[in-house]
Amino acid sequence: MVYWLSPSFSSKGVYELAKKTALFICRCGTNIASVVDIEELVDRFSKREDLVVVEDLHLCGDEGLRKIEEVLRNQEVDRVVVAGCTDRLHGELFKSVVERAGLNPGFLKIANIREQCSWVHWMDSERATEKAASLIEMALEAVEHSSETRKAKVPVVRRVLVIGGGVAGITAATNLADAGFEVYLVEKSGFIGGHMAKWDKLFPTFDCSMCILGPLMSELAHKPNVKILALSEVVEVWGSPGNYFARIRVKPRYVDEEKCDGCDRCLDVCPVEVPDEYNYGIGFRKAIVKPFPEAIPIAPYIDMENCIGCQSCVGICEPQAISFEQREMEIVERFGAIIVATGYKPFDPTPLAEYGYGRYANVITAPELERLIHPGGPTEGVLARPSDGRVPKSVCFIQCVGSRSDRPVSRPYCSRVCCTYAMKEAMQIKMSWPDTQVYIIYIDLRAFGKGHEELYRKAAEAGIVFIRGGVEVQEIPESKNLLLRVEDTLSGRVLEIEAELVVLSVGIDHNPDNEQLASVLRIPLDENGFFSEAHPKLRPSDTVRKGIFVAGTCQGPKDINDTVAHAGLAALRCAAFLSEPEVEVELLSPTYDPSQCHKCLLCVRSCDFQAISYQEGKIAVDDLACAGCGACVSVCPTGALELPYINDAEVFAALEAALKNRNERPLVVGFLCNWCGYAAADNAGVKRIPYPTNIRIIKVPCTARINPLFILKAFSLGADGVAVIGCYENDCHYRGGFRKAKSMVNSVKKLLEAIGLDERRLLIESVSASEGEKFAKLISDFIAQLAELGPLGSELGGGGDERSV
Amino acid sequence: MAGVIRCGCMSITQSVVKAEDLDLSFAKTLEQLGIERVLTCMQCGTCTASCPSGRYAAYRTRLVLRKVLLGLREEILSDPDLWLCTTCYNCQERCPRRIDVVDLIIVLRNMAFATGHARERHVQISRFFVETGHLVPINEENMKKRRELGLSEKPPTTHSFPKALEEVKALASYFGFDKIVLGER
Amino acid sequence: MPNRYPGIELATRIVMKNLGIELVDMEGASCCPAPGAFGPADLFTWRVLGARNLSIAEKKGVDVLTVCNGCYKTLYEVNQDLKSDPELRERVNEVLRPLGYEYNGTIRVRHIAEYLHRDYGVEKLRGAVKKPLEGIKVAVHYGCHLMRPKLRRELGDSERPHLLEDIIEATGAECVEYKDMMICCGAGGGVRSYDLALSLTLTHTKIKNATEAGADCMVNVCPFCHLQLDRGQAELKEQWGVYYGLPILHYSQLLGLAMGIPPKMLGFEAHYVPVDSFLEKLKGII
């Protein structure tokens, strides 16, 4: 009854005698070749008559790609294996070249001999070469059984969802609207404009921020094909590229946007005053809120938490726009593509107690200073220091606060904007209050953008004192001035500066909402919490998911110039993607054979996406709604469901190949989910963190794809251990996938115990994509533990004969 | 202000240093001894700015790090300023690269002891320990005070237990530590 | 329990007895040995000797309590290092075993301030105070090694901690903020004996700032800081001709006063800076 063991699956069918498999081995410059003995691999595989073996310096380069195409066109080849870097990097590229050569891309497999071999086993060339050979053999066996990629043409929805209404989102939305697409701009707060709307003047040219942003916002609001949804959040996204579905939660505004004419008289009559979070708690706002006159939407919103229900606003409102009846609602809409533009959060310096932020009244952050010197800010542009409202006679900027630091509460990267904004703010102070002495205490001054160096020069000429050094801050209790002690590292002198105001140049921190959104969109974050781009140089606005793009600082620190450029690229990439009337999508859905189905409906229950349904006595698979996790296939007891893009037979074939030569003990099979487990293994590679060679990794889309029989098969073939590594339960890219895998693994553990095997041979763990260190440690520890347990079967008293299982 | 305030400027006696005379593996050696991330120092000077000794003396913590990175090994180990750190940990708490600066200085002082660069006063204190089991041994005055206060004349430490003192001496001699401090000095 | 200031030892013994906490002597213990003066000589020997002291407590089956930041640093950190590094522990034990000692990692090391704050409890402490020291202004001196390095402690932030303020305020006294309050007393790291002038400069900064902030006394939790702050004032008078006369109290002594223990049982006679005027101030209270 175990049908996959039937001999038909171990042959290549009708092509067997006629066709060969092409094996391309990439040296990746010296990245692979300096560790893995490429000549040895070529030698070894060239002996096989069913293979055409080709090696190259850089398969991903133009030359390399041409070589692949040529071989595929001119040789009798029907299967392809590329041994090189992770398929998460160039998988799509190689697929496209295979397709161009006339082969179905489903017949391509990639053996990852870089991230998961040469980059982690650099200390032992010999074993790395053996492992590379083994990985290639696994791919060769698997590709024999691989199925055609199924594609379908679906009409493209010419509507784009832009998430985030800062300058990035506004730019992207404007560009797309101009190109004729319909755009939904979803903004979490009450108004669009983002951080940029808060700044007074912009570096390096001192142009007024609102003067350039205001018209842009108003123009956008008037476009007929743009819908701005403020106080809104995207809570769920499903579907496929060109055809996404999004559920958007819209909070009540209590002011009818259609009726409101933006007279703002309600703001005058509201009697409530609460600290104004828009100004970082400086000054007060009303319970009916509109932080600046140019705000879009022009209608204010009512903050119900603080509203006392006095109805003063209702009384004054001529168009009768106030509407307390509004309720929260949800919109579900279809979108062809999505642009993420959720921006950043200024770094919170409170945990860096040595600067005294939050403890010393006259220590403020640069964004707070912006509000203080903004004519529309809480002090109407007067630089009033918090303790007594006086204009300070001396101001010290401290750079790199929260940036470039390995301390647990800080961020390791350079935030790119602080040097220049500090110089800009310093000059603004100097221009308005020439008697105020301004110091900038920096570590390295990075003025690298167009016009930035010139600004540096102007600042020096204006008499801003630049001090290269580190600093400690203490409050002088009586005056509330700050005593700064600085080493001017260039002279080696320790200076004491009594400053009346200290400005912390805080960096760009990731938006804390990113984590939630990443899991909604199923796109990865980097180790600092920003969204990962598909390629740092070539595809900086793309993500790993087709039809989802990133714009602006949600991808990493940027100034406004770079943000706008990045957002423009995202819009262009988006428009290009949507320019075809139909999009060809790779179907990740299972095939269904009704003749084998017993209608147990386990599959229907296992699906988190309502993609399998049971209607009128029939099982129906919705190809577009399916996310491709494979949970249904693993629970199907009869084999009626099969997942063509990673079918059971290819996994079994890979297992056979992996465990054929067990010259390494203990030997472990790892089933790693594409999003976190496999990505973390790649991350360990990128960071060159070594771990033992004794593991053979099989990539699955989700740990829920793992059929319990995969694990049992691995043990029956003599694996000493099996590791199942997926996402953290709450980060699962297929909602409940990891949870399902966990319960499956627990059942298998019981089964192992029942037949006398130590359940510790089966490991299930979570990692995130950036936890290369954790992954490497996990594997090292697991292998060490297995070494202690002895070879498989030791616990049965059979002296470790794996065949006794 | 009263007191001893020293000039913060550095001496300029050094002549040209030949690159081949630098011990460029020095920082690596220290990392192997457990002082992680030394090589990541970006010379920001937060350590010096936080240093109470550095306010009043020529001691510059940042320069110790710089010389470690450059491998000016002899110069560091023989520098009298190495002994001006009060081990207050201000620098270590604030270092943006999370370098264990004080621990580094203690390891450097270990090296100075081992290579005969330790300051006489430090050697003397350690000598007290090897001889009495205490860095601050009990003295007549102290014992008198204890009697007056109604405490035992000697505390229940190595002072009261000669066998315990022998043990301490044995431990100190185990690694030849006693020789370093009792030695020819 | 350091040799300096037997009054601190006496005060601690009495106070703890009155709080109902039994102290067990570690017979045959040596100096911890001092981290700033001995650690620099040889770290491994420092650990071995620290481990010997710990194993004396282990044999008795009791946790270690220190009244000194230096002892705390040595014993706490050696304990932690040896607990987390089995290889190091083995190397240390190899040396200790021939003498009949073995370190097993079975006990905890706590500072008296930490113990009173976390284990005994600030509320309970307040309850033990019979004569609240109302109107007394205390300048707090943490010393360096109680809170630092924070990544190797579990006592929270070290830039502006609140642990000592909590237990001092439990006595009814008021803590005053003063400039540079977290600065070192000047004694640590062997600087007191190596460069007395420099160490006194730091002491001077501290005492001057505290005096200017109107403190009636300065409270510490470390006999070495105590020495530097107390005797240092005598030395400042002698060498610089400046004198502040700010009484220096170890926390045990302050708590003793608040618990109604007669001053003569708290060992103030041994101080260089007389505490008479301070006690005078307390007349109405104790």
Side-chain angles (χ1 to χ4, degrees):
Chain A
M1 74 151 278
V2 189
Y3 73 99
W4 44 81
L5 294 183
S6 67
S8 67
F9 276 86
S10 55
S11 79
K12 220 196 251 184
V14 292
Y15 301 114
E16 192 174 19
L17 296 175
K19 304 268 185 155
K20 293 186 173 187
T21 297
L23 168 62
F24 297 94
I25 303 175
C26 184
R27 293 177 170 269
C28 193
T30 55
N31 277 309
I32 295 171
S34 67
V35 176
V36 171
D37 186 342
I38 302 290
E39 281 69 30
E40 159 73 21
L41 291 181
V42 171
D43 249 23
R44 196 182 297 193
F45 288 104
S46 296
K47 292 198 182 94
R48 279 177 53 171
E49 288 186 354
D50 58 339
L51 298 180
V52 179
V53 182
V54 181
E55 55 105 0
D56 195 79
L57 193 60
H58 279 298
L59 280 174
C60 60
D62 215 28
E63 192 101 334
L65 294 172
R66 219 169 323 136
K67 202 188 257 181
I68 296 177
E69 199 174 336
E70 207 178 281
V71 170
L72 299 187
R73 279 190 192 284
N74 301 331
Q75 307 253 1
E76 291 290 288
V77 163
D78 70 340
R79 293 285 194 277
V80 187
V81 167
V82 173
C85 60
T86 172
D87 74 342
R88 289 169 53 88
L89 187 61
H90 289 317
E92 291 299 319
L93 181 70
F94 291 128
K95 264 190 192 173
S96 67
V97 79
V98 165
E99 206 165 6
R100 218 162 45 225
L103 261 178
N104 186 291
F107 297 143
L108 162 74
K109 286 280 166 217
I110 289 179
N112 182 348
I113 60 168
R114 191 176 78 170
E115 282 82 352
Q116 295 175 16
C117 192
S118 71
W119 277 359
V120 286
H121 306 317
W122 38 265
M123 60 299 184
D124 190 339
S125 214
E126 204 172 305
R127 292 184 74 166
T129 305
E130 276 309 311
K131 177 166 174 178
S134 173
L135 294 175
I136 292 171
E137 275 171 26
M138 286 165 68
L140 288 170
E141 287 307 312
V143 81
E144 296 276 310
H145 300 276
S146 60
S147 320
E148 287 195 356
T149 296
R150 294 176 311 145
K151 296 199 166 176
K153 294 251 185 206
V154 294
V156 165
V157 179
R158 287 175 61 82
R159 188 183 299 120
V160 180
L161 171 64
V162 177
I163 308 172
V167 66
I170 291 170
T171 304
T174 305
N175 280 313
L176 285 164
D178 287 348
F181 294 95
E182 193 184 338
V183 179
Y184 274 48
L185 180 62
V186 171
E187 165 60 41
K188 193 181 176 188
S189 75
F191 306 90
I192 62 168
H195 294 291
M196 186 175 167
K198 297 188 181 189
W199 310 151
D200 175 22
K201 292 187 165 37
L202 305 177
F203 65 71
T205 42
F206 295 91
D207 37 351
C208 148
S209 183
M210 193 45 76
C211 306
I212 55 177
L213 185 65
L216 203 60
M217 294 199 294
S218 134
E219 192 190 325
L220 185 70
H222 287 104
K223 285 188 194 293
N225 50 346
V226 172
K227 194 176 174 74
I228 297 174
L229 294 174
L231 293 173
S232 302
E233 265 178 279
V234 176
V235 289
E236 195 175 5
V237 168
W238 68 99
S240 59
N243 233 309
Y244 287 113
F245 296 78
R247 190 191 308 280
I248 303 163
R249 187 173 297 152
V250 185
K251 286 199 203 120
R253 195 170 193 92
Y254 304 110
V255 179
D256 189 329
E257 286 181 49
E258 303 287 315
K259 289 184 185 162
C260 174
D261 59 7
C263 74
D264 294 349
R265 267 182 287 175
C266 50
L267 271 64
D268 297 334
V269 297
C270 177
V272 179
E273 288 203 329
V274 289
D276 189 355
E277 59 287 289
Y278 189 80
N279 292 324
Y280 311 101
I282 309 169
F284 298 92
R285 64 157 169 86
K286 299 300 181 71
I288 188 160
V289 190
K290 185 170 170 183
F292 55 101
E294 302 86 350
I296 299 286
I298 57 166
Y301 71 86
I302 297 177
D303 160 23
M304 259 323 159
E305 263 177 43
N306 290 300
C307 173
I308 53 172
C310 70
Q311 312 259 331
S312 301
C313 49
V314 178
I316 197 99
C317 183
E318 276 174 21
Q320 298 186 321
I322 310 289
S323 156
F324 285 103
E325 288 74 45
Q326 282 187 8
R327 292 288 167 266
E328 181 173 295
M329 56 175 187
E330 281 190 353
I331 301 170
V332 173
E333 188 55 88
R334 286 172 56 175
F335 299 96
I338 300 170
I339 293 183
V340 184
T342 47
Y344 70 98
K345 189 188 81 144
F347 178 82
D348 174 10
T350 315
L352 298 172
E354 69 267 33
Y355 296 124
Y357 178 75
R359 189 149 50 90
Y360 304 150
N362 293 324
V363 175
I364 64 171
T365 67
E368 289 166 15
L369 178 76
E370 282 286 343
R371 294 310 292 161
L372 287 177
I373 56 178
H374 194 299
T379 56
E380 294 175 348
V382 176
L383 178 54
R385 70 174 196 158
S387 71
D388 52 15
R390 265 191 320 109
V391 173
K393 287 265 163 268
S394 51
V395 179
C396 267
F397 286 83
I398 300 176
Q399 299 304 110
C400 296
V401 174
S403 301
R404 305 181 69 199
S405 168
D406 296 331
R407 289 171 55 187
V409 290
S410 297
R411 308 288 173 247
Y413 49 81
C414 165
S415 291
R416 293 172 55 106
V417 295
C418 325
C419 284
T420 328
Y421 79 54
M423 291 192 286
K424 183 217 69 160
E425 290 176 353
M427 295 229 357
Q428 277 183 274
I429 293 173
K430 208 67 188 158
M431 286 189 256
S432 300
W433 298 278
D435 293 342
T436 295
Q437 185 57 263
V438 187
Y439 304 86
I440 294 180
I441 299 165
Y442 68 99
I443 301 174
D444 293 295
L445 216 123
R446 294 176 173 174
F448 51 85
K450 184 171 177 174
H452 294 199
E453 185 65 25
E454 291 84 337
L455 178 65
Y456 181 16
R457 195 198 239 136
K458 273 186 216 148
E461 279 170 356
I464 313 282
V465 181
F466 288 89
I467 300 171
R468 190 205 176 279
V471 61
E472 79 166 3
V473 182
Q474 276 167 3
E475 186 178 71
I476 300 167
E478 310 82 52
S479 59
K480 302 287 177 204
N481 288 348
L482 290 313
L483 183 72
L484 272 68
R485 215 163 274 117
V486 197
E487 182 190 13
D488 176 67
T489 57
L490 300 179
S491 66
R493 305 296 288 263
V494 177
L495 313 175
E496 276 188 352
I497 303 170
E498 188 171 332
E500 298 195 339
L501 184 72
V502 165
V503 182
L504 304 179
S505 294
V506 293
I508 286 183
D509 203 357
H510 68 274
N511 184 335
D513 297 338
N514 286 359
E515 207 174 322
Q516 166 70 19
L517 191 60
S519 108
V520 165
L521 296 171
R522 285 186 275 147
I523 53 175
L525 298 176
D526 66 20
E527 63 268 36
N528 295 315
F530 295 101
F531 285 100
S532 287
E533 65 283 3
H535 189 282
K537 293 185 176 59
L538 303 179
R539 296 166 69 202
S541 272
D542 292 22
T543 67
V544 292
R545 275 193 94 185
K546 251 190 184 160
I548 299 187
F549 305 91
V550 284
T553 51
C554 70
Q555 178 257 352
K558 286 177 195 64
D559 63 9
I560 292 171
N561 308 24
D562 287 354
T563 295
V564 169
H566 194 236
L569 178 64
L572 177 71
R573 297 286 298 154
C574 187
F577 174 70
L578 297 178
S579 61
E580 296 286 322
E582 286 185 318
V583 66
E584 198 176 50
V585 291
E586 187 182 332
L587 295 184
L588 305 176
S589 53
T591 54
Y592 172 61
D593 176 0
S595 70
Q596 298 207 42
C597 177
H598 295 169
K599 312 239 164 33
C600 67
L601 305 190
L602 281 174
C603 54
V604 176
R605 260 182 278 157
S606 76
C607 182
D608 280 335
F609 301 91
Q610 290 88 44
I612 301 191
S613 54
Y614 183 66
Q615 290 158 355
E616 296 158 16
K618 280 187 197 150
I619 297 281
V621 178
D622 180 343
D623 287 330
L624 290 181
C626 174
C629 67
C632 54
V633 182
S634 324
V635 297
C636 178
T638 65
L641 289 171
E642 180 58 286
L643 200 60
Y645 86 103
I646 168 164
N647 65 45
D648 284 356
E650 68 184 74
V651 174
F652 287 118
L655 281 173
E656 295 259 8
L659 298 163
K660 194 171 59 187
N661 299 315
R662 267 166 286 110
N663 40 18
E664 281 187 294
R665 297 313 288 263
L667 191 54
V668 173
V669 172
F671 292 103
L672 273 54
C673 88
N674 176 56
W675 304 96
C676 294
Y678 199 86
D682 283 349
N683 185 264
V686 171
K687 294 177 180 160
R688 312 293 200 276
I689 307 165
Y691 54 84
T693 51
N694 320 34
I695 179 166
R696 302 290 176 268
I697 290 170
I698 294 177
K699 189 176 91 167
V700 286
C702 173
T703 46
R705 171 66 187 97
I706 302 165
N707 188 322
L709 292 163
F710 293 175
I711 297 171
L712 296 176
K713 178 76 177 175
F715 283 122
S716 81
L717 290 169
D720 298 301
V722 173
V724 172
I725 300 178
C727 306
Y728 288 99
E729 210 163 298
N730 295 328
D731 298 345
C732 176
H733 286 60
Y734 301 97
R735 288 188 219 170
F738 187 73
R739 221 169 9 251
K740 290 171 206 162
K742 223 160 81 178
S743 93
M744 178 276 289
V745 163
N746 284 335
S747 313
V748 176
K749 275 175 176 269
K750 284 196 192 110
L751 188 63
L752 293 181
E753 294 271 79
I755 56 176
L757 288 176
D758 197 309
E759 56 91 13
R760 284 175 294 175
R761 293 187 183 278
L762 176 53
L763 173 83
I764 180 155
E765 269 292 347
S766 297
V767 295
S768 77
S770 56
E771 291 182 325
E773 290 85 357
K774 181 176 172 187
F775 173 80
K777 182 166 188 319
L778 217 64
I779 298 306
S780 307
D781 291 353
F782 186 45
I783 286 168
Q785 185 184 50
L786 289 171
E788 237 168 72
L789 290 175
L792 180 76
S794 308
E795 53 269 67
L796 299 172
D801 177 9
E802 59 284 346
R803 290 291 168 192
S804 62
V805 178
Chain B
M1 181 184 164
V4 180
I5 298 181
R6 281 168 231 205
C7 169
C9 57
M10 281 157 285
S11 62
I12 38 168
T13 55
Q14 291 92 342
S15 50
V16 174
V17 180
K18 287 208 165 71
E20 58 262 36
D21 292 337
L22 301 174
D23 179 359
L24 293 172
S25 63
F26 193 37
K28 261 270 165 291
T29 309
L30 289 162
E31 289 200 343
Q32 278 154 8
L33 288 170
I35 313 299
E36 292 167 17
R37 296 177 288 272
V38 172
L39 286 164
T40 68
C41 174
M42 57 178 164
Q43 291 287 297
C44 68
T46 302
C47 43
T48 311
S50 304
C51 180
S53 293
R55 279 190 218 171
Y56 304 111
Y59 173 57
R60 296 285 172 270
T61 320
R62 176 188 54 83
L63 265 184
V64 174
L65 269 294
R66 185 65 211 146
K67 288 177 183 174
V68 163
L69 290 178
L70 268 184
L72 293 167
R73 189 193 174 104
E74 271 304 299
E75 196 174 319
I76 304 168
L77 297 186
S78 61
D79 188 349
D81 285 0
L82 182 62
W83 305 88
L84 293 180
C85 166
T86 68
T87 69
C88 82
Y89 282 93
N90 252 357
C91 50
Q92 184 160 328
E93 298 294 72
R94 294 172 183 172
C95 174
R97 298 296 203 202
R98 268 181 68 203
I99 299 168
D100 291 341
V101 185
V102 176
D103 300 358
L104 166 74
I105 286 168
I106 290 180
V107 168
L108 291 173
R109 286 184 183 178
N110 276 193
M111 291 175 163
F113 257 95
T115 52
H117 288 301
R119 299 285 125 180
E120 177 53 31
R121 288 295 298 167
H122 284 79
V123 178
Q124 192 182 351
I125 306 173
S126 299
R127 196 179 300 148
F128 283 143
F129 181 83
V130 174
E131 285 164 0
T132 69
H134 288 269
L135 289 164
V136 184
I138 196 118
N139 52 26
E140 264 312 315
E141 184 193 1
N142 230 312
M143 285 194 275
K144 185 168 152 261
K145 276 183 193 161
R146 293 185 68 91
R147 277 196 305 272
E148 287 166 11
L149 289 170
L151 288 165
S152 59
E153 182 173 80
K154 287 179 179 175
T157 60
T158 44
H159 287 316
S160 304
F161 297 87
K163 182 175 157 283
L165 180 59
E166 286 315 306
E167 289 167 8
V168 168
K169 285 184 177 174
L171 289 175
S173 65
Y174 193 89
F175 292 92
F177 175 73
D178 57 334
K179 288 198 194 74
I180 295 179
V181 297
L182 297 177
E184 300 85 334
R185 288 161 176 279
Chain C
M1 187 74 75
N3 275 334
R4 299 185 179 100
Y5 291 93
I8 296 174
E9 179 177 335
L10 181 65
T12 306
R13 285 180 189 274
I14 295 174
V15 162
M16 293 304 260
K17 194 171 166 211
N18 285 14
L19 290 177
I21 299 155
E22 188 198 350
L23 295 179
V24 180
D25 285 337
M26 288 166 56
E27 284 112 1
S30 70
C31 179
C32 54
F38 193 86
D42 186 63
L43 277 171
F44 186 70
T45 312
W46 173 68
R47 290 203 176 97
V48 169
L49 290 158
R52 177 183 168 275
N53 285 333
L54 289 168
S55 65
I56 292 175
E58 281 185 354
K59 270 190 206 166
K60 291 182 173 278
V62 291
D63 284 350
V64 172
L65 188 79
T66 86
V67 295
C68 166
N69 289 356
C71 300
Y72 181 62
K73 176 176 168 61
T74 295
L75 298 174
Y76 183 89
E77 289 183 17
V78 168
N79 198 27
Q80 230 187 6
D81 290 350
L82 297 184
K83 271 185 186 176
S84 64
D85 185 347
E87 199 189 317
L88 178 68
R89 182 198 300 198
E90 190 43 41
R91 275 171 56 214
V92 166
N93 275 335
E94 263 170 36
V95 186
L96 288 179
R97 270 190 213 109
L99 295 172
Y101 293 94
E102 174 147 354
Y103 171 86
N104 293 305
T106 54
I107 56 158
R108 288 175 61 192
V109 175
R110 267 165 290 186
H111 190 285
I112 188 169
E114 173 195 10
Y115 179 82
L116 292 175
H117 193 278
R118 298 256 170 112
D119 298 72
Y120 192 78
V122 177
E123 273 314 305
K124 216 169 140 195
L125 199 58
R126 197 169 290 136
V129 168
K130 296 200 182 73
K131 316 260 168 144
L133 306 175
E134 273 154 25
I136 295 299
K137 288 186 175 164
V138 174
V140 186
H141 174 75
Y142 275 85
C144 300
H145 299 154
L146 173 62
M147 310 296 293
R148 297 170 182 169
K150 63 174 174 246
L151 294 177
R152 252 180 261 152
R153 305 270 189 280
E154 282 163 3
L155 298 176
D157 175 47
S158 66
E159 287 289 345
R160 190 58 193 91
H162 219 261
L163 187 116
L164 289 190
E165 278 83 346
D166 289 346
I167 58 172
I168 289 171
E169 281 161 8
T171 68
E174 176 198 342
C175 296
V176 289
E177 288 278 330
Y178 60 102
K179 222 166 73 184
D180 248 344
M181 70 167 283
M182 293 305 288
I183 198 178
C184 172
C185 66
V191 173
R192 178 177 167 78
S193 53
Y194 175 58
D195 191 336
L196 184 62
L198 173 64
S199 84
L200 288 178
T201 313
L202 302 194
T203 312
H204 176 257
T205 304
K206 182 132 211 149
I207 300 290
K208 178 172 174 276
N209 289 341
T211 308
E212 282 171 2
D216 298 316
C217 67
M218 182 175 284
V219 170
N220 66 79
V221 285
C222 171
F224 194 29
C225 300
H226 190 98
L227 171 89
Q228 178 71 13
L229 298 169
D230 180 40
R231 188 156 143 191
Q233 289 188 62
E235 287 158 348
L236 280 171
K237 186 177 171 189
E238 212 171 276
Q239 299 186 12
W240 296 15
V242 284
Y243 184 64
Y244 294 95
L246 182 69
I248 305 299
L249 277 74
H250 187 277
Y251 180 73
S252 293
Q253 296 174 312
L254 183 82
L255 182 60
L257 290 173
M259 288 172 71
I261 294 161
K264 64 176 189 309
M265 292 174 73
L266 297 171
F268 291 122
E269 296 82 356
H271 289 206
Y272 288 86
V273 177
V275 293
D276 306 352
S277 59
F278 175 67
L279 294 176
E280 195 66 30
K281 218 172 198 157
L282 288 172
K283 261 282 160 54
I285 303 171
I286 57 173

